[in-house]
Every structure is written in structure tokens, then in C-alpha cells.
Amino acid sequence: MGTENRQIQMVVFDWAGTTVDYGSSAPSVVFDRVLTAAGLHLTREEINRPMGLEKKAHIRQLLSSESGSAQWQQLYGRLWNERDVDKLYETFEATLHTVVAEYSTPLPGVVETVDKLRGMGLKIGSTTGYNSAMMAEVLPVAKAAGYAADCVVTPDATGIGRPAPFMVFECMRQLNVYPPRCVVKVGDTVVDMQEGKNAGAFAIGILTGSNLLGLTKEECDTMPAELLTQRKQVAADRYRAAGADLVIDSIRDLPAAIETLNERLRKEGSL
């Protein structure tokens, strides 16, 4: 690695639960509506577990879960199939379009943090489980509130979503950043971490506002401190088990985390 590459050059953010939409509420709410209409009743934890995947893949995971599979068999007297997935996805997509813009305001600290990162010379990429049509609803709202990435890559642009690395690679291609070791993927789900590591990049998990923590803002604000600490520890352990290099409490901690990774790269370069 050359001297010029011994520092982070690009941060690739997730969207819902990371930069907008506290707790990734919009897709959770819509999945619950769609499943309930189909006669299935899954808990919020069950619905959130595959979060970060491309949404059709998310539906497959829900139907493949022990509860989802058993309920489907009991309701319909057969196993689910791809036609069922397609039908549920069409309903999900149409429903999400009606609500996603309402959940697209940047989370506290995002605008200031991104400004700091750009001041450090970093490029800002983004990947998401939303498709391009959904992001067309999200982007203008986020931009009007002060947050816009340098590139936005969706699963329909690459043909495959997380945990595959290709959306990160596309960010690298568009913004002319390499090698992967100079890239950091920042997200709020297990598959965000896997996406980053599969790309050969660093991966950082955020706790506050994350899907993995699984709390609304009200729940987070009112939960006893000791219990909240325990919940955060469980989430942090899940991030690390998925390959996270660092876990931070808030997006505001990201500039310091980048400096930690830069120091790691400098030490690697001196070996």
C-alpha cells in the first residue's frame, strides 16, 4: 500500500437506521402491514432480523423463518413459493412508496458529521436495501434537510444486494477510490458489516438509532440506563460477530473512529 493510501478515503453509509429513519421504522412498519394483511403475525424482532437485505430477499427470510413458515403452511395449506414472494413484494413496494418520504429526515448528528468527514477530505458513498424508485422518494427529503451523498447505489443497479460487496465496489468505481482497505462501510445491521468485510473494507456499526438495537427513540430515551447499556452490549457483540472493526455509540463518534482506523493503516504501512 502506497503512502497516499495509508488513510481512509471514503465512507459508505447505509440509509434507514444509519443516516435517516431512527430504528429503521419505515420498512418495519410496512413489512408488518403487508404480513398482517396476508394473515401472518411476526414480532418486531422477527421482522427486523433480516433488515439491510434487499427487500425481496428480506421477504424470503421472513417466510423461511420458523414462525413465518409454520404460519404460512397453516394458513394456505402449502409451502410458500416465488409467486407469493413477488406478490408480497409488490404490496410492500407500493405501500412503502406512500410512507418512505416521511421517514427520510437525517438523524441528529448526521449533517454535522458528514460535513466534518468532508472537511477531512473523505468522499461519501451510500448503499441501501431500498431500490432506486424508493430512493427517489428519500433523496430529495434528505437533501433538503442538508444531507446528500456523493453517490447512491441500490441493489437494482448492481443486480444483487447485501451481503454481497458489489454495491460498495460500485461506489468505489464511481468515486475512483481504491484499494478497499481505504474504504469504511458504516451501518446499523449485521448485513451492513458483512457487506463491508466482503468488499475488503473496514466496517463500523452504530448503536444509537440502529435497527440492530431495535428500539424506537421513545423507548431508548425512557429505558433505564442499566438495561439500555445491556441492550447496547448485545447489539455490539452481534456487530463484532459479523466482522465489525469498530462499534460506536453515535454517528457523532465517527470522525474519531476514522482517525483510529487511519492510525491502524499507518502502523500497517510501517511494518
Side-chain angles (χ1 to χ4, degrees), residues 187-206:
D188 71 303
T189 67
V190 163
V191 291
D192 281 308
M193 302 302 100
Q194 294 170 338
E195 176 189 31
K197 300 314 293 182
N198 287 340
F202 288 108
I204 296 178
I206 296 178

PDB file of all heavy atoms in Angstrom, residues 187-206:
ATOM      1  N   GLY A 187     -22.893   1.187   9.068  1.00  0.00           N
ATOM      2  CA  GLY A 187     -24.291   0.794   9.007  1.00  0.00           C
ATOM      3  C   GLY A 187     -24.850   0.382  10.346  1.00  0.00           C
ATOM      4  O   GLY A 187     -24.177   0.469  11.386  1.00  0.00           O
ATOM      5  N   ASP A 188     -26.097  -0.110  10.310  1.00  0.00           N
ATOM      6  CA  ASP A 188     -26.804  -0.432  11.549  1.00  0.00           C
ATOM      7  C   ASP A 188     -27.350  -1.849  11.573  1.00  0.00           C
ATOM      8  O   ASP A 188     -28.183  -2.171  12.416  1.00  0.00           O
ATOM      9  CB  ASP A 188     -27.957   0.565  11.757  1.00  0.00           C
ATOM     10  CG  ASP A 188     -29.094   0.347  10.775  1.00  0.00           C
ATOM     11  OD1 ASP A 188     -28.839   0.388   9.551  1.00  0.00           O
ATOM     12  OD2 ASP A 188     -30.238   0.118  11.216  1.00  0.00           O
ATOM     13  N   THR A 189     -26.875  -2.707  10.646  1.00  0.00           N
ATOM     14  CA  THR A 189     -27.343  -4.091  10.596  1.00  0.00           C
ATOM     15  C   THR A 189     -26.165  -5.048  10.437  1.00  0.00           C
ATOM     16  O   THR A 189     -25.058  -4.648  10.052  1.00  0.00           O
ATOM     17  CB  THR A 189     -28.304  -4.330   9.409  1.00  0.00           C
ATOM     18  OG1 THR A 189     -27.568  -4.206   8.184  1.00  0.00           O
ATOM     19  CG2 THR A 189     -29.466  -3.346   9.428  1.00  0.00           C
ATOM     20  N   VAL A 190     -26.428  -6.317  10.702  1.00  0.00           N
ATOM     21  CA  VAL A 190     -25.423  -7.364  10.510  1.00  0.00           C
ATOM     22  C   VAL A 190     -24.970  -7.413   9.056  1.00  0.00           C
ATOM     23  O   VAL A 190     -23.776  -7.512   8.764  1.00  0.00           O
ATOM     24  CB  VAL A 190     -26.004  -8.727  10.964  1.00  0.00           C
ATOM     25  CG1 VAL A 190     -25.173  -9.884  10.409  1.00  0.00           C
ATOM     26  CG2 VAL A 190     -26.056  -8.801  12.487  1.00  0.00           C
ATOM     27  N   VAL A 191     -25.922  -7.315   8.115  1.00  0.00           N
ATOM     28  CA  VAL A 191     -25.527  -7.434   6.708  1.00  0.00           C
ATOM     29  C   VAL A 191     -24.740  -6.218   6.217  1.00  0.00           C
ATOM     30  O   VAL A 191     -23.982  -6.327   5.259  1.00  0.00           O
ATOM     31  CB  VAL A 191     -26.726  -7.717   5.774  1.00  0.00           C
ATOM     32  CG1 VAL A 191     -27.256  -9.115   6.014  1.00  0.00           C
ATOM     33  CG2 VAL A 191     -27.802  -6.683   5.908  1.00  0.00           C
ATOM     34  N   ASP A 192     -24.883  -5.064   6.886  1.00  0.00           N
ATOM     35  CA  ASP A 192     -24.008  -3.938   6.570  1.00  0.00           C
ATOM     36  C   ASP A 192     -22.557  -4.304   6.871  1.00  0.00           C
ATOM     37  O   ASP A 192     -21.653  -4.002   6.085  1.00  0.00           O
ATOM     38  CB  ASP A 192     -24.387  -2.703   7.394  1.00  0.00           C
ATOM     39  CG  ASP A 192     -25.589  -1.965   6.857  1.00  0.00           C
ATOM     40  OD1 ASP A 192     -25.591  -1.634   5.664  1.00  0.00           O
ATOM     41  OD2 ASP A 192     -26.522  -1.706   7.633  1.00  0.00           O
ATOM     42  N   MET A 193     -22.343  -4.921   8.023  1.00  0.00           N
ATOM     43  CA  MET A 193     -20.984  -5.326   8.400  1.00  0.00           C
ATOM     44  C   MET A 193     -20.455  -6.374   7.421  1.00  0.00           C
ATOM     45  O   MET A 193     -19.303  -6.300   6.975  1.00  0.00           O
ATOM     46  CB  MET A 193     -20.974  -5.901   9.825  1.00  0.00           C
ATOM     47  CG  MET A 193     -21.493  -4.954  10.918  1.00  0.00           C
ATOM     48  SD  MET A 193     -20.627  -3.377  11.058  1.00  0.00           S
ATOM     49  CE  MET A 193     -21.746  -2.274  10.169  1.00  0.00           C
ATOM     50  N   GLN A 194     -21.290  -7.330   7.081  1.00  0.00           N
ATOM     51  CA  GLN A 194     -20.870  -8.382   6.147  1.00  0.00           C
ATOM     52  C   GLN A 194     -20.565  -7.811   4.773  1.00  0.00           C
ATOM     53  O   GLN A 194     -19.596  -8.226   4.121  1.00  0.00           O
ATOM     54  CB  GLN A 194     -21.964  -9.447   6.060  1.00  0.00           C
ATOM     55  CG  GLN A 194     -22.165 -10.204   7.359  1.00  0.00           C
ATOM     56  CD  GLN A 194     -23.409 -11.080   7.352  1.00  0.00           C
ATOM     57  OE1 GLN A 194     -24.345 -10.842   6.579  1.00  0.00           O
ATOM     58  NE2 GLN A 194     -23.432 -12.075   8.209  1.00  0.00           N
ATOM     59  N   GLU A 195     -21.368  -6.849   4.334  1.00  0.00           N
ATOM     60  CA  GLU A 195     -21.137  -6.192   3.047  1.00  0.00           C
ATOM     61  C   GLU A 195     -19.768  -5.533   3.033  1.00  0.00           C
ATOM     62  O   GLU A 195     -18.994  -5.690   2.075  1.00  0.00           O
ATOM     63  CB  GLU A 195     -22.225  -5.152   2.802  1.00  0.00           C
ATOM     64  CG  GLU A 195     -22.047  -4.328   1.522  1.00  0.00           C
ATOM     65  CD  GLU A 195     -23.028  -3.170   1.438  1.00  0.00           C
ATOM     66  OE1 GLU A 195     -23.413  -2.619   2.493  1.00  0.00           O
ATOM     67  OE2 GLU A 195     -23.418  -2.814   0.310  1.00  0.00           O
ATOM     68  N   GLY A 196     -19.453  -4.797   4.088  1.00  0.00           N
ATOM     69  CA  GLY A 196     -18.162  -4.128   4.152  1.00  0.00           C
ATOM     70  C   GLY A 196     -16.995  -5.098   4.163  1.00  0.00           C
ATOM     71  O   GLY A 196     -16.029  -4.932   3.417  1.00  0.00           O
ATOM     72  N   LYS A 197     -17.093  -6.116   4.987  1.00  0.00           N
ATOM     73  CA  LYS A 197     -15.981  -7.076   5.089  1.00  0.00           C
ATOM     74  C   LYS A 197     -15.835  -7.895   3.810  1.00  0.00           C
ATOM     75  O   LYS A 197     -14.715  -8.211   3.396  1.00  0.00           O
ATOM     76  CB  LYS A 197     -16.182  -7.992   6.298  1.00  0.00           C
ATOM     77  CG  LYS A 197     -16.258  -7.276   7.637  1.00  0.00           C
ATOM     78  CD  LYS A 197     -15.175  -6.228   7.832  1.00  0.00           C
ATOM     79  CE  LYS A 197     -13.777  -6.836   7.924  1.00  0.00           C
ATOM     80  NZ  LYS A 197     -12.762  -5.778   8.153  1.00  0.00           N
ATOM     81  N   ASN A 198     -16.956  -8.248   3.163  1.00  0.00           N
ATOM     82  CA  ASN A 198     -16.873  -8.972   1.901  1.00  0.00           C
ATOM     83  C   ASN A 198     -16.214  -8.139   0.809  1.00  0.00           C
ATOM     84  O   ASN A 198     -15.651  -8.685  -0.144  1.00  0.00           O
ATOM     85  CB  ASN A 198     -18.266  -9.415   1.451  1.00  0.00           C
ATOM     86  CG  ASN A 198     -18.804 -10.557   2.280  1.00  0.00           C
ATOM     87  OD1 ASN A 198     -18.062 -11.272   2.940  1.00  0.00           O
ATOM     88  ND2 ASN A 198     -20.120 -10.739   2.271  1.00  0.00           N
ATOM     89  N   ALA A 199     -16.299  -6.812   0.953  1.00  0.00           N
ATOM     90  CA  ALA A 199     -15.650  -5.912  -0.009  1.00  0.00           C
ATOM     91  C   ALA A 199     -14.175  -5.695   0.315  1.00  0.00           C
ATOM     92  O   ALA A 199     -13.463  -5.043  -0.457  1.00  0.00           O
ATOM     93  CB  ALA A 199     -16.371  -4.571  -0.036  1.00  0.00           C
ATOM     94  N   GLY A 200     -13.716  -6.208   1.458  1.00  0.00           N
ATOM     95  CA  GLY A 200     -12.333  -5.978   1.863  1.00  0.00           C
ATOM     96  C   GLY A 200     -12.136  -4.634   2.534  1.00  0.00           C
ATOM     97  O   GLY A 200     -11.004  -4.164   2.690  1.00  0.00           O
ATOM     98  N   ALA A 201     -13.245  -4.002   2.946  1.00  0.00           N
ATOM     99  CA  ALA A 201     -13.206  -2.691   3.581  1.00  0.00           C
ATOM    100  C   ALA A 201     -13.288  -2.847   5.096  1.00  0.00           C
ATOM    101  O   ALA A 201     -13.519  -3.938   5.628  1.00  0.00           O
ATOM    102  CB  ALA A 201     -14.363  -1.831   3.079  1.00  0.00           C
ATOM    103  N   PHE A 202     -13.094  -1.740   5.804  1.00  0.00           N
ATOM    104  CA  PHE A 202     -13.406  -1.701   7.216  1.00  0.00           C
ATOM    105  C   PHE A 202     -14.923  -1.623   7.387  1.00  0.00           C
ATOM    106  O   PHE A 202     -15.638  -1.195   6.481  1.00  0.00           O
ATOM    107  CB  PHE A 202     -12.770  -0.482   7.886  1.00  0.00           C
ATOM    108  CG  PHE A 202     -11.274  -0.578   8.049  1.00  0.00           C
ATOM    109  CD1 PHE A 202     -10.424   0.187   7.261  1.00  0.00           C
ATOM    110  CD2 PHE A 202     -10.711  -1.415   9.003  1.00  0.00           C
ATOM    111  CE1 PHE A 202      -9.055   0.115   7.404  1.00  0.00           C
ATOM    112  CE2 PHE A 202      -9.334  -1.495   9.162  1.00  0.00           C
ATOM    113  CZ  PHE A 202      -8.506  -0.730   8.364  1.00  0.00           C
ATOM    114  N   ALA A 203     -15.406  -2.019   8.575  1.00  0.00           N
ATOM    115  CA  ALA A 203     -16.838  -1.945   8.866  1.00  0.00           C
ATOM    116  C   ALA A 203     -17.032  -1.385  10.266  1.00  0.00           C
ATOM    117  O   ALA A 203     -16.373  -1.814  11.212  1.00  0.00           O
ATOM    118  CB  ALA A 203     -17.493  -3.319   8.754  1.00  0.00           C
ATOM    119  N   ILE A 204     -17.942  -0.417  10.377  1.00  0.00           N
ATOM    120  CA  ILE A 204     -18.256   0.207  11.667  1.00  0.00           C
ATOM    121  C   ILE A 204     -19.755   0.127  11.903  1.00  0.00           C
ATOM    122  O   ILE A 204     -20.552   0.520  11.051  1.00  0.00           O
ATOM    123  CB  ILE A 204     -17.810   1.681  11.705  1.00  0.00           C
ATOM    124  CG1 ILE A 204     -16.281   1.780  11.590  1.00  0.00           C
ATOM    125  CG2 ILE A 204     -18.283   2.351  12.992  1.00  0.00           C
ATOM    126  CD1 ILE A 204     -15.765   3.217  11.576  1.00  0.00           C
ATOM    127  N   GLY A 205     -20.143  -0.373  13.071  1.00  0.00           N
ATOM    128  CA  GLY A 205     -21.546  -0.439  13.450  1.00  0.00           C
ATOM    129  C   GLY A 205     -21.914   0.696  14.382  1.00  0.00           C
ATOM    130  O   GLY A 205     -21.141   1.032  15.289  1.00  0.00           O
ATOM    131  N   ILE A 206     -23.086   1.293  14.163  1.00  0.00           N
ATOM    132  CA  ILE A 206     -23.598   2.366  15.011  1.00  0.00           C
ATOM    133  C   ILE A 206     -24.720   1.816  15.878  1.00  0.00           C
ATOM    134  O   ILE A 206     -25.586   1.084  15.395  1.00  0.00           O
ATOM    135  CB  ILE A 206     -24.112   3.542  14.163  1.00  0.00           C
ATOM    136  CG1 ILE A 206     -22.970   4.171  13.365  1.00  0.00           C
ATOM    137  CG2 ILE A 206     -24.768   4.596  15.043  1.00  0.00           C
ATOM    138  CD1 ILE A 206     -23.405   5.320  12.472  1.00  0.00           C
TER     139      ILE A 206
END
